Amino acid sequence: MFTGIIEAVGEVAAVDGARGGRTFVIGAPFAGELAAGQSVAVDGACLTVRAADTGTFTVDAGASTLERTVAGRYERGTAVNLERALRVGDRLDGHLVQGHVDGVATLRGRRASGETRFLEFELPKAVFAATVLHGSIALNGVSLTVNDLRGEGRCELAIVPYTWERTNFPALETGDPVNAEADLVGKYVARILEATGSLPRSPLAHAP
């Protein structure tokens, strides 16, 4: 479990493997504190540490992860948002994030108002269905509040300077994909309503 509060922006130092699976070596300031078997959210996708040293840690991504997330686009030098798993007793400053990516969203527009950046994303249909105005969503692992919901499955997020400076959002260009995870509470509510016959079948509840 994670909070969506990014600890550091790391960098992919090496990529090995092919379509069936890849191994990523990622540079991170907290790499020396990691141990094999621990979980790290990389752009919001929960991955298991295979090995770690003082400057880097290594994770494996299977075919499903490569297909369902932006990890398939990683190359040496790619900036990635990093967060270690939540410990019992830690302060929850963001929202409950599982690290289970529900789909890939696409950046469709960006604007600035003062120091605040407004990013408009086109969400996967299932994620949009579980998203509410002023509710929570995780994009590339960042806990964000929905500023506006628009037609065609789009939402707008307001990025404050603190978040902008401490995530990989500045590297995004229009048309770029990001990992999207719908709000955990919203997904469970949709599943309960579906099970009781109050809502049509939820695509998220049956996603592979």
Side-chain angles (χ1 to χ4, degrees):
M1 191 67 71
F2 304 90
T3 70
I5 303 301
I6 303 305
E7 289 189 71
V9 176
E11 183 176 291
V12 177
V15 180
D16 188 30
R19 174 177 290 183
R22 292 182 187 172
T23 298
F24 300 109
V25 178
I26 299 174
F30 55 71
E33 301 173 41
L34 296 174
Q38 292 184 327
S39 296
V40 176
V42 180
D43 279 338
C46 180
L47 299 177
T48 302
V49 175
R50 189 173 78 176
D53 57 30
T54 54
T56 64
F57 66 94
T58 302
V59 293
D60 297 317
S64 178
T65 298
L66 297 176
E67 292 170 3
R68 294 176 59 84
T69 73
V70 299
R73 295 167 53 94
Y74 289 165
E75 58 186 24
R76 186 173 181 179
T78 299
V80 290
N81 293 330
L82 302 174
E83 181 190 356
R84 285 175 285 184
L86 181 67
R87 295 174 297 188
V88 175
D90 280 353
R91 185 183 300 276
L92 184 63
D93 290 315
H95 73 281
L96 292 175
V97 178
Q98 291 181 297
H100 300 165
V101 175
D102 294 312
V104 174
T106 304
L107 179 63
R108 294 303 187 195
R110 56 194 299 172
R111 63 185 178 90
S113 178
E115 294 186 328
T116 301
R117 275 79 168 184
F118 293 87
L119 303 184
E120 182 178 338
F121 290 91
E122 181 179 348
L123 302 178
K125 183 178 180 180
V127 176
F128 185 77
T131 301
V132 298
L133 182 63
H134 302 149
S136 298
I137 191 171
L139 296 179
N140 268 3
V142 184
S143 174
L144 297 166
T145 300
V146 177
N147 184 66
D148 192 17
L149 285 176
R150 299 171 178 173
E152 301 179 351
R154 298 192 181 195
C155 76
E156 181 183 73
L157 293 310
I159 314 298
V160 297
Y162 184 92
T163 301
W164 184 259
E165 295 163 4
R166 290 165 175 80
T167 66
N168 60 9
F169 285 161
L172 293 177
E173 301 289 345
T174 300
D176 282 349
V178 297
N179 291 331
E181 180 183 331
D183 179 54
L184 178 63
V185 175
K187 289 192 285 188
Y188 275 104
V189 169
R191 180 67 183 95
I192 291 170
L193 292 175
E194 176 200 337
T196 58
S198 302
L199 194 71
R201 182 179 186 272
S202 167
L204 274 179
H206 301 271

